[in-house]
Amino acid sequence: MTSSINTLADVPEFAAAAFSTSAAITDGRVDHTFADIAAMCDLVSDSLVTMGVGKGDRVVLYGENHAHWICCYYGILQLGAVVVPVNKLLRGHEVAFIADDCGAAAVIASPAMMPELANAFPEPVSLLPWSAFFDREAGSAGRVERPELAPDDIASVCYTSGTTGTPKGATLTHRNILTNALMTASMHGKLASDVIYSALPCPHVYGNVVFQSAFLTGCKLYLNAAFDAGEALAAIRTHGVTVFEGVPTMYFYLLNEDFAAADCKTLRMLTVGGQTMPVAKMEEVQRRFDAPLVELWGMTELAGLGTTHCALAGQVGNLPLGSIGTALPGVEARVVSLDDPGKEAPSGEKGELQVRGPIVMQGYWNNAAATRQTIDDLGWLATGDIATKDASGHVRIVDRKKDMILTAGYNIYPAELEARLSEHPDVAMVAVASEADDEKGEIPVAHVVLRPKSDLGEEALREHCRARLAAYKVPRKFVFADDLPKTSSGKIMRRALRK
């Protein structure tokens, strides 16, 4: 058993040696110890090597959150192969595109996902149900001879969501992913005594850094395949969850539930990322749960988080809500002028957020042109997020560059409008998107989900906005809905609301 970690392939053995019979993963029904997980990872490696999968081969991993997903992830890496995690919501032809783009040697899927792949590939490809790996007893696998791996070897190719075109594969090394997980665990003060709740998809970098940091620190991970607010609250109460990891929409749903802080007394911290969250809602979360809400920010191209807060600051009530924190240790973050990308913007002025350091991807897989557009010669990665940075290094996201609405020459940032709308007590969830307009070019349209039993009307909401926003920022239309379109990780998809 290894007592040190040089690459991700070392993680299961390290965790088994350090934490052995402690529970590593539970779904509320079945617990798997760290030793169990290490043994199951060996079953995956043993099966793949007999099929000829080896160092450098790309293997697509397609399935829902499950202990078996994590075992497949590490089992692929133990062979020196490259794991290509894909979202369970992708359709078969989309998985086929990714497999073809990265030149995958095989596709591993959960039993639930196998039917989606039937007839999806124009040419034969090895399609493997992961259940076949675990039909044998854990521990019956022969120990596969593992290749020599270096921290800067490629570990994973993670495909972006493709919101601005076809998906691009962010190429990440063992060092990229390990560094991010270790720094995140350090900033958030993860301990072996923690019980972490996550329904974040494992293929998503947020979900990935959550389970990586749990394995590195010996936490117990309560892993849900899908988020349900009632089930999440029950898990907190029943399993003594200490850290809840989520995105804004999860908290919006939780706030609609009937619960008291006493029901969640084991919680020491909640985290939120993936999308900006109105401060009014963050304050409500902290009041209802009586625990600090720690904001974070990251992206696929950074192997997880880029900025966050030190959890200790939250425990002493010193978190500036609305700020995504400061750069991870050893990472640089700057805000550059929108007019002159080579020049840093003055403190507090809006510009594009850029990041540099050991968490930045190596580039996009087989796409040198896109890589050059994203990472400059000095190693700065352009994030596409408009932000401000103050003298203390705290960063605040204004909005996504591509989501900015141009109305009669004025720049409107949807996140600002969403923040003001969320201050109304009857608003449960809101997203602002653009609509083409012959006179103004674009106009903002607010899509609103109301709290249960609310009869709030359009005119009352318009008056609420007029009291808090400049006239040109007030949404020209209000659309009431029962829910809003979201990605598998829970992000609201503004693009799906645009007309």
Side-chain angles (χ1 to χ4, degrees), residues 136-480:
R136 295 173 292 159
E137 282 288 324
S140 67
R143 176 60 187 271
V144 173
E145 183 177 349
R146 297 180 184 171
E148 289 291 325
L149 293 176
D152 290 322
D153 287 342
I154 297 171
S156 187
V157 179
C158 297
Y159 278 76
T160 60
S161 59
T163 58
T164 56
T166 56
K168 300 186 291 292
T171 304
L172 303 168
T173 65
H174 290 268
R175 188 190 304 277
N176 290 150
I177 299 170
L178 266 177
T179 299
N180 203 306
L182 286 166
M183 292 301 97
T184 297
S186 176
M187 290 286 279
H188 290 171
K190 297 286 177 65
L191 301 169
S193 56
D194 276 322
V195 179
I196 301 173
Y197 175 94
S198 176
L200 300 163
C202 288
H204 189 274
V205 288
Y206 189 2
N208 187 284
V209 80
V210 167
F211 81 73
Q212 297 281 6
S213 61
F215 269 75
L216 292 169
T217 54
C219 303
K220 180 179 180 179
L221 177 64
Y222 189 105
L223 188 66
N224 256 14
F227 177 76
D228 177 270
E231 289 180 5
L233 289 170
I236 294 170
R237 289 191 294 262
T238 306
H239 292 269
V241 170
T242 60
V243 180
F244 183 97
E245 313 258 13
V247 295
T249 52
M250 292 181 183
Y251 293 107
F252 298 154
Y253 290 131
L254 285 168
L255 291 175
N256 282 336
E257 296 289 315
D258 183 17
F259 71 95
D263 297 329
C264 307
K265 60 182 179 296
T266 57
L267 279 176
R268 69 170 181 85
M269 180 178 74
L270 309 105
T271 70
V272 63
Q275 205 162 27
T276 55
M277 184 173 182
V279 170
K281 293 297 184 188
M282 297 178 74
E283 291 171 342
E284 187 176 356
V285 167
Q286 292 194 146
R287 285 196 304 272
R288 294 285 302 276
F289 285 96
D290 192 26
L293 181 60
V294 178
E295 200 167 359
L296 56 88
W297 168 90
M299 59 192 302
T300 304
E301 290 84 347
L302 298 176
L305 277 61
T307 67
T308 189
H309 299 273
C310 175
L312 182 61
Q315 292 169 14
V316 297
N318 195 28
L319 284 179
L321 294 182
S323 162
I324 57 172
T326 58
L328 293 181
V331 175
E332 298 173 86
R334 70 178 185 179
V335 173
V336 299
S337 169
L338 294 174
D339 299 321
D340 183 0
K343 181 181 177 182
E344 284 200 54
S347 178
E349 186 174 300
K350 296 182 182 72
E352 182 174 7
L353 179 62
Q354 295 187 345
V355 176
R356 181 169 68 177
I359 60 175
V360 173
M361 68 171 181
Q362 306 309 293
Y364 293 113
W365 183 266
N366 285 339
N367 196 334
T371 300
R372 285 193 298 271
Q373 291 173 357
T374 306
I375 305 175
D376 69 16
D377 293 339
L378 296 177
W380 287 103
L381 181 140
T383 69
D385 277 326
I386 297 174
T388 64
K389 182 180 176 184
D390 64 24
S392 65
H394 283 88
V395 178
R396 293 176 183 268
I397 296 295
V398 176
D399 221 323
R400 288 293 292 168
K401 203 172 179 180
K402 60 183 175 60
D403 284 341
M404 186 180 72
I405 300 169
L406 188 61
T407 296
Y410 291 101
N411 292 340
I412 296 176
Y413 299 100
E416 181 189 5
L417 277 59
E418 291 162 2
R420 300 291 79 79
L421 282 158
S422 293
E423 291 171 358
H424 196 292
D426 283 3
V427 173
M429 199 183 318
V430 61
V432 173
S434 63
E435 181 178 309
D437 182 80
D438 290 339
E439 182 181 337
K440 297 181 182 296
E442 293 178 308
I443 57 171
V445 179
H447 299 258
V448 181
V449 177
L450 297 176
R451 288 271 173 88
K453 299 180 181 178
S454 171
D455 59 357
L456 184 68
E458 180 175 336
E459 191 53 39
L461 259 185
R462 184 171 284 107
E463 286 303 314
H464 172 84
C465 291
R466 283 173 179 157
R468 291 162 175 80
L469 293 166
Y472 72 89
K473 295 180 183 178
V474 174
R476 298 303 187 269
K477 294 182 181 179
F478 293 85
V479 178
F480 293 94

